[in-house]
Amino acid sequence: MSTETRTVMVRMRNVYKYFGQLRALNNVSLDIYDGEKVVVIGPSGSGKSTMLRSINKLETVDAGDIIVDGININDEKTNINRVREEIGMVFQSFNVFPHMTVRENLNLAQMVVRKRTKEEAAAISKELLTKVGILEKADQYPGKLSGGQQQRVAIARALAMKPKLMLFDEPTSALDPEMINEVLDVMKKLAKEGMTMIVVTHEMGFAREVADRVIFMDFGAIIEEGTPEHFFKNPTEERTKLFLSQIL
Amino acid sequence: MAQIKSNKAQTRKTVIAIGDGPAIPSKKDAGLFTAWRVSLVGAIAIIAFLVTFKQDPYLAILKFVPDGILITFQVTVESIILALVIGLFTGLGRISKNRIINGIASVYVEVIRGIPLLVQLFYIYFALGRVVNLPAMVSAIIAMGICYGAYMGEIFRAGIESIHKGQMEAARSLGMTNAQAMRHVILPQAFKTILPPIGNEFVALLKDSSLVSILAVSDLLRRGREFASQSFNYFETYTMVALVYLVITLFLSKIVSIMEERISVD
């Protein structure tokens, strides 16, 4: 990979984050390039989600710089809302809006934030609902949908903003096993289209198939990173080996 | 010592929540539902009986008070609207991370809750009346609105806090401002939770509105007092007034409970 010619989408430098005494992020530095698919793995409590959430400032870090698409998000002058428009986020617990139909879930931020007209928004929503295979549910309320369907709505809702970067925070962890693949398939499709993606997950099959790079975190720090090939065949660090032996 | 402390913490968890509004009858609570029916049928039956068989003075009383019922409703509705507006901003203030806004809202709630409504009415009409001379009706509505606004603020706060924090995170991560997320995502959901307690407050406010009769506002109680002082039929008049209040509040609490059921179905 000739990384020199590619633009950096996310740059983290010496990032620290504390929850009381707990060091949730311990000197994390990382570059993620435009179009790259990065999968973050690690035991629970290792700081994966915190790192992901710090990229769109759902968590404010205590030290270090985070630069997204050239904008330092911890700069006081930065309007974080403008940065978040460009970053799609998918949560473990879906967080679809239960008081709105699927279609309205997709339309809302397009109209309120992107200032698109109702017709423009509706057209984009329709296209994305088709893409995630859920157009026939457009006028249903999320409560009537399965977990897998809700998560696909959440992905479509994030994509409707036409983001430059997508963050996935354990998107399949709250799903029943038979629904995991329908969500992973959507994510794979997205990866093929060249979306920049950072995915926190326990789905090693997905990591192996989709990731350009796998990052292993433990105790708030990046322990090891490399291609899936390297990772699953010859991990170098003891902790990585131990973790992989436990889950594979 | 630590043992005692943890015991204390445990006993504190047992919260007995009793609002100051009326018990709202619901079909799930069969006993209370029956009591509601018995009270309503009983009250109406007694009114009908008295008006039919003891026309003097009961029929005269019943003809004299309806003007007051309208005033009572006017005071109640206008106060509740004011209270809702104040309550919304107070609730938002109470959850604000801005210390000054939060402080103002919290102090307002504590001060208002610490002063009896009757004293507040006196204060706004008689004490502030020295500075700005407001009509009795306006003073009454402002005083009731400010007082109930504090309680309403707590209802709004609780309603907003009852919405899962993931909803706010999802809205914010789509680029919405805090205000946009509140307006489009949080408040519409919170509204469902807070509608029943608001209905409760409405009924409670209607009852408390009888206090404004002190300020020469001709509400239901005041009309009764006027009738009684002319005719000296104190017992008969206040019996009738009490029965009319009872019928109104029983009807209103029924409406609130129907509303609540409708919402929980959706």
Side-chain angles (χ1 to χ4, degrees):
Chain A
M1 261 191 288
S2 56
T3 46
E4 294 80 15
T5 58
R6 299 166 74 182
T7 42
V8 177
M9 183 60 82
V10 179
R11 170 161 286 172
M12 300 180 93
R13 282 292 176 271
N14 310 103
V15 171
Y16 289 86
K17 167 77 184 175
Y18 298 87
F19 291 118
Q21 291 292 312
L22 180 80
R23 200 178 272 180
L25 291 180
N26 185 7
N27 196 13
V28 171
S29 293
L30 178 68
D31 281 342
I32 288 165
Y33 296 92
D34 193 13
E36 199 178 14
K37 291 107 192 77
V38 174
V39 169
V40 185
I41 61 173
S44 63
S46 60
K48 318 179 291 286
S49 287
T50 308
M51 183 190 77
L52 197 73
R53 289 161 58 84
S54 70
I55 294 172
N56 67 353
K57 217 179 177 184
L58 285 181
E59 303 289 353
T60 307
V61 299
D62 296 307
D65 289 319
I66 300 175
I67 292 142
V68 179
D69 199 23
I71 301 165
N72 185 341
I73 63 164
N74 293 323
D75 189 333
E76 274 181 23
K77 285 180 215 123
T78 301
N79 180 350
I80 190 65
N81 299 317
R82 295 290 81 79
V83 181
R84 283 176 178 154
E85 283 178 37
E86 310 297 337
I87 307 174
M89 177 128 189
V90 176
F91 299 85
Q92 181 178 346
S93 52
F94 327 140
N95 296 340
V96 286
F97 305 138
H99 61 300
M100 294 177 177
T101 64
V102 167
R103 196 191 300 279
E104 288 164 347
N105 261 276
L106 267 69
N107 287 351
L108 178 65
Q110 294 189 61
M111 290 159 66
V112 170
V113 179
R114 288 287 200 210
K115 308 289 179 205
R116 292 178 192 146
T117 66
K118 188 149 197 197
E119 290 71 30
E120 288 173 324
I124 292 169
S125 299
K126 194 176 169 190
E127 175 199 322
L128 287 165
L129 287 174
T130 312
K131 185 178 194 170
V132 300
I134 213 163
L135 185 63
E136 75 279 6
K137 303 282 183 190
D139 294 308
Q140 300 257 18
Y141 284 89
K144 298 256 195 289
L145 271 55
S146 72
Q149 290 169 330
Q150 289 192 41
Q151 192 61 298
R152 284 186 281 152
V153 171
I155 294 172
R157 180 178 66 183
L159 291 175
M161 301 300 285
K162 304 278 177 195
K164 293 177 179 165
L165 164 68
M166 285 286 288
L167 308 176
F168 293 86
D169 190 2
E170 301 201 25
T172 57
S173 298
L175 293 174
D176 292 333
E178 74 272 18
M179 293 171 187
I180 290 176
N181 278 331
E182 63 188 66
V183 171
L184 291 182
D185 286 345
V186 169
M187 291 167 63
K188 286 175 195 166
K189 205 194 268 186
L190 203 56
K192 281 204 191 91
E193 290 170 7
M195 176 63 79
T196 312
M197 294 163 71
I198 308 175
V199 184
V200 172
T201 188
H202 297 292
E203 294 294 325
M204 294 305 143
F206 178 83
R208 218 173 290 194
E209 189 182 332
V210 175
D212 297 320
R213 185 158 44 127
V214 178
I215 292 175
F216 173 68
M217 287 184 76
D218 203 3
F219 300 107
I222 293 175
I223 305 295
E224 185 167 358
E225 54 181 304
T227 61
E229 182 88 350
H230 157 84
F231 235 87
F232 296 108
K233 293 213 174 110
N234 316 297
T236 40
E237 299 292 323
E238 280 309 314
R239 266 192 278 177
T240 319
K241 285 179 194 165
L242 182 65
F243 176 73
L244 289 172
S245 72
Q246 281 164 346
I247 58 157
L248 287 179
Chain B
M1 193 62 197
Q3 186 59 40
I4 295 166
K5 258 189 185 165
S6 72
N7 273 345
K8 256 189 182 172
Q10 273 181 358
T11 44
R12 240 185 235 154
K13 274 188 184 162
T14 323
V15 177
I16 302 173
I18 299 177
D20 48 7
I24 293 190
S26 114
K27 286 195 178 109
K28 279 166 251 152
D29 194 342
L32 210 54
F33 188 69
T34 315
W36 173 82
R37 219 178 320 187
V38 168
S39 313
L40 182 66
V41 172
I44 291 173
I46 293 171
I47 292 176
F49 176 83
L50 292 173
V51 168
T52 318
F53 296 104
K54 286 204 69 176
Q55 291 199 356
D56 179 43
Y58 288 105
L59 190 59
I61 299 168
L62 198 63
K63 281 181 179 163
F64 192 79
V65 295
D67 292 353
I69 297 177
L70 285 182
I71 298 289
T72 290
F73 269 105
Q74 190 193 341
V75 172
T76 307
V77 170
E78 288 175 15
S79 306
I80 204 98
I81 290 169
L82 182 61
L84 280 172
V85 174
I86 295 175
L88 172 60
F89 286 105
T90 309
L92 290 172
R94 291 269 285 154
I95 55 165
S96 170
K97 289 196 185 89
N98 182 320
R99 280 197 175 180
I100 297 168
I101 294 174
N102 194 313
I104 292 171
S106 303
V107 168
Y108 161 68
V109 170
E110 288 306 322
V111 167
I112 295 298
R113 290 209 296 195
I115 301 173
L117 176 55
L118 187 56
V119 176
Q120 291 177 39
L121 279 165
F122 272 38
Y123 197 83
I124 288 188
Y125 186 57
F126 297 112
L128 292 185
R130 291 274 159 139
V131 189
V132 264
N133 205 352
L134 292 171
M137 185 75 170
V138 177
S139 300
I141 289 166
I142 290 176
M144 304 272 296
I146 289 177
C147 177
Y148 271 77
Y151 294 89
M152 220 59 106
E154 290 303 276
I155 294 174
F156 272 100
R157 181 182 61 80
I160 292 166
E161 282 178 347
S162 75
I163 305 302
H164 190 268
K165 79 176 190 353
Q167 292 287 312
M168 181 53 106
E169 288 185 350
R172 294 306 303 272
S173 70
L174 287 163
M176 285 187 222
T177 63
N178 191 50
Q180 287 168 336
M182 270 291 165
R183 184 171 149 220
H184 297 286
V185 177
I186 306 299
L187 287 176
Q189 293 184 61
F191 194 65
K192 258 188 164 180
T193 334
I194 65 181
L195 210 50
I198 284 178
N200 245 343
E201 289 299 294
F202 185 83
V203 180
L205 199 151
L206 185 129
K207 288 187 294 178
D208 277 353
S209 76
S210 61
L211 290 171
V212 306
S213 61
I214 303 278
L215 310 189
V217 173
S218 301
D219 75 327
L220 175 55
L221 179 59
R222 179 87 184 185
R223 291 288 284 175
R225 213 167 90 189
E226 285 165 14
F227 188 89
S229 57
Q230 285 164 23
S231 63
F232 301 105
N233 288 323
Y234 289 98
F235 178 81
E236 294 83 348
T237 311
Y238 288 126
T239 302
M240 208 56 172
V241 166
L243 286 169
V244 171
Y245 269 117
L246 182 60
V247 170
I248 293 173
T249 49
L250 286 173
F251 260 116
L252 281 177
S253 29
K254 185 65 183 171
I255 291 170
V256 172
S257 78
I258 290 171
M259 212 164 63
E260 192 177 4
E261 270 169 34
R262 284 251 175 94
I263 289 171
S264 59
V265 168
D266 288 345

